[in-house]
Amino acid sequence: MTVNNPISQGDARRGTQEPSSVLIVGAGNFGASAALHFAKQGTPVTLVDTAHYPNPRAASHDINKIVRGDYPDTLYMEMLRKAMPLWRKDKLYSPWYHEVGMLRADPSDFGDRSMQAYREVGIANDSRYMTVEEVRERWEAYSTSNFDGLSKVLYNPTVGFAEADKALGAVVQAAIDAGTHYEIGEMSSLALGPTGECRGIHLKDGRTLYASQILMATGARTPALLAQSAPGNKYLHIGDRLVATGAVSFHAKLHGAQKDKFAAVPVLKNCMPQVKGEGMSILPDGTIKFNCDMCFTNYQTLSATGEKMSLVPESNFFNTWTDRKFLDFFERRARMTINGLYGDEVKHVPIDAYRMCWDASTPTHDFLITAHPHSQNLYIATGGSFHGWKFLPVIGDYIVQLMEGTLSAELTDRWAWDKKGGDGHSANPTYQVAGDLQDWTDDIEYA
């Protein structure tokens, strides 16, 4: 990587541009994993993010996240064939993974199609349906959960959750230990050459970083960054391929006998409309985290283009963990979710904090991992669509393959700039846009 002058000489870390040097913007799930995989094969790589790792504003930074193996789509099932053994046995990932099992209360045919996908790819699996009565009898914490409208619940005992911020931090540290240079700085735009080729990135502090290949693993901020890099060049812009979307998580703490009652519960995802949320298994200190099963946009005018675009709010209030007071709409929505998940068990339990997680969502929730067809040397790796985190151990390998031209045709087409393949089904069907943040507030600051 070269700083400020693309032909200047300098030390080995910040000096002469090497033919195979890689500059990765964004140290979240996709960027951190890619940096590790590049570094392990000896490629000079610089990883840039706006803060020390793990960045608390990153979508992949969280108390914990679900690690599930259930996908009706065999493409993602094959990826999990590689990822799950690493979660269970690899010393980098296994300390953070907890195989507590998972329940999915879902009126759709998701469970049937997932079990069929396991059979199609030849993965042994112990998933089965349990009656609602069986669930209530086995786990007392679910004795008054709202399963109205369901007679059975999918149970997979061989999945669970991972401590997200700790796992992400460990991967970034492993990448640094393998030779990655970690640079703190905030990207303002791409550094483009006279024919539109990408040569590096401009930072808000005035520096410019150069490399042979530039990977934007910039999540929900990707559409704005591309647009402000070349406001008049629509070919560079993301268009309708990707949109910045937010989702709300929250957590509470249990104590004493109630904490003991929740000690053995699996992850629960309840897709019923009167609940629509996820409850993680309890941590040793009694913390239990929840997600509202919905997402939303935040359409504002991007100053660089004068056009409306869904933007990530700049204020930390809408990016990091806050306190017990939040937007009224989301307080009510969170209360509906926690009460539906656990019923009378939690009706007097206060919610301690809230967080908006901003991710990049594609129309089908497939990833967007692609060379940019209108800017040589530029690559995009984003589109986690609120289900990409579980692939942390392996997603970097796929990104490296894409950038080296060895990724399979099926994956290349599915994740392409102009997508091909797939059957049109959503890879994460429960996270649909439910509204726009501006419907619920008008006091957010933007860049």
Side-chain angles (χ1 to χ4, degrees):
M1 180 195 74
T2 307
V3 179
N4 291 334
N5 184 349
I7 58 172
S8 67
Q9 300 296 309
D11 62 37
R13 176 167 285 176
R14 303 169 68 92
T16 304
Q17 180 176 330
E18 300 181 35
S20 59
S21 61
V22 175
L23 175 60
I24 300 174
V25 188
N29 185 35
F30 286 19
S33 184
L36 176 59
H37 282 81
F38 269 123
K40 287 170 70 173
Q41 66 181 31
T43 301
V45 57
T46 296
L47 181 60
V48 182
D49 208 312
T50 60
H52 186 72
Y53 60 93
N55 189 337
R57 292 169 64 95
S60 45
H61 184 288
D62 205 343
I63 295 172
N64 47 29
K65 288 188 182 291
I66 295 172
V67 178
R68 63 175 169 91
D70 305 311
Y71 273 92
D73 191 329
T74 57
L75 182 147
Y76 294 102
M77 188 74 81
E78 288 286 5
M79 293 174 66
L80 285 164
R81 183 201 294 270
K82 300 177 182 179
M84 291 307 299
L86 296 175
W87 279 119
R88 294 180 181 121
K89 297 180 180 180
D90 189 282
K91 63 181 181 180
L92 180 58
Y93 306 101
S94 61
W96 320 118
Y97 173 64
H98 306 278
E99 195 159 280
V100 296
M102 179 174 174
L103 294 164
R104 185 182 182 104
D106 189 342
S108 76
D109 63 352
F110 182 97
D112 292 337
R113 292 189 294 122
S114 289
M115 288 188 283
Q116 177 61 31
Y118 277 118
R119 291 189 289 270
E120 288 179 16
V121 300
I123 299 177
N125 182 257
D126 296 324
S127 292
R128 64 184 178 88
Y129 284 114
M130 298 177 68
T131 67
V132 169
E133 290 73 20
E134 287 176 316
V135 170
R136 296 193 195 281
E137 289 174 5
R138 179 164 176 178
W139 295 286
E140 187 181 357
Y142 300 132
S143 61
T144 57
S145 296
N146 190 333
F147 295 123
D148 292 354
L150 288 174
S151 60
K152 61 183 181 180
V153 177
L154 180 68
Y155 176 52
N156 186 341
T158 57
V159 294
F161 73 92
E163 297 172 65
D165 51 353
K166 295 176 182 176
L168 177 62
V171 170
V172 176
Q173 186 61 57
I176 293 170
D177 293 344
T180 293
H181 172 58
Y182 191 87
E183 187 81 33
I184 295 177
E186 185 172 357
M187 176 182 168
S188 60
S189 64
L190 295 168
L192 301 173
T195 61
E197 75 278 10
C198 188
R199 306 172 71 192
I201 63 169
H202 299 301
L203 301 179
K204 286 188 175 181
D205 63 11
R207 292 178 296 156
T208 300
L209 309 181
Y210 296 90
S212 301
Q213 295 178 304
I214 292 81
L215 173 66
M216 290 180 66
T218 42
R221 293 163 177 81
T222 304
L225 287 170
L226 286 175
Q228 62 198 36
S229 294
N233 181 3
K234 296 293 185 182
Y235 290 108
L236 190 70
H237 300 184
I238 205 75
D240 60 1
R241 298 172 180 87
L242 196 76
V243 65
T245 48
V248 168
S249 300
F250 55 100
H251 66 75
K253 184 168 281 190
L254 306 181
H255 305 275
Q258 189 178 38
K259 175 185 170 184
D260 295 339
K261 186 182 295 186
F262 277 72
V265 298
V267 174
L268 170 61
K269 183 179 181 74
N270 191 322
C271 305
M272 299 302 289
Q274 68 271 23
V275 183
K276 286 191 68 63
E278 301 156 348
M280 302 293 178
S281 299
I282 197 166
L283 295 176
D285 69 353
T287 297
I288 187 164
K289 197 205 85 171
F290 306 86
N291 303 318
C292 293
D293 229 357
M294 58 170 282
C295 65
F296 45 89
T297 53
N298 181 44
Y299 276 90
Q300 292 284 288
T301 299
L302 183 68
S303 58
T305 63
E307 297 178 348
K308 289 280 190 179
M309 176 182 290
S310 184
L311 300 174
V312 178
E314 285 298 305
S315 170
N316 281 339
F317 183 80
F318 297 97
N319 283 271
T320 58
W321 286 103
T322 181
D323 55 22
R324 290 187 176 184
K325 183 62 180 172
F326 206 50
L327 301 182
D328 288 345
F329 171 81
F330 293 109
E331 287 188 13
R332 294 193 302 271
R333 185 63 176 75
R335 198 73 244 178
M336 181 188 87
T337 292
I338 189 174
N339 289 350
L341 287 167
Y342 296 115
D344 292 342
E345 288 292 335
V346 295
K347 65 181 180 180
H348 299 302
V349 173
I351 294 173
D352 292 332
Y354 300 83
R355 184 199 178 206
M356 282 187 186
C357 169
W358 292 89
D359 203 356
S361 294
T362 66
T364 60
H365 296 141
D366 285 306
F367 305 149
L368 184 68
I369 300 175
T370 179
H372 198 301
H374 304 293
S375 185
Q376 186 179 356
N377 308 324
L378 177 61
Y379 298 83
I380 309 293
T382 183
S385 304
F386 299 106
H387 74 107
W389 193 89
K390 67 181 72 65
F391 298 104
L392 177 65
V394 298
I395 194 65
D397 185 34
Y398 294 98
I399 294 169
V400 170
Q401 290 176 43
L402 181 280
M403 294 177 68
E404 294 181 342
T406 60
L407 189 65
S408 72
E410 180 186 17
L411 291 170
T412 299
D413 288 346
R414 182 79 78 88
W415 297 339
W417 183 257
D418 292 314
K419 179 182 180 296
K420 303 174 185 176
D423 61 5
H425 279 91
S426 168
N428 191 24
T430 60
Y431 272 80
Q432 301 297 330
V433 173
D436 188 88
L437 185 57
Q438 295 305 301
D439 297 337
W440 307 303
T441 184
D442 59 1
D443 57 355
I444 309 173
E445 298 177 3
Y446 302 94

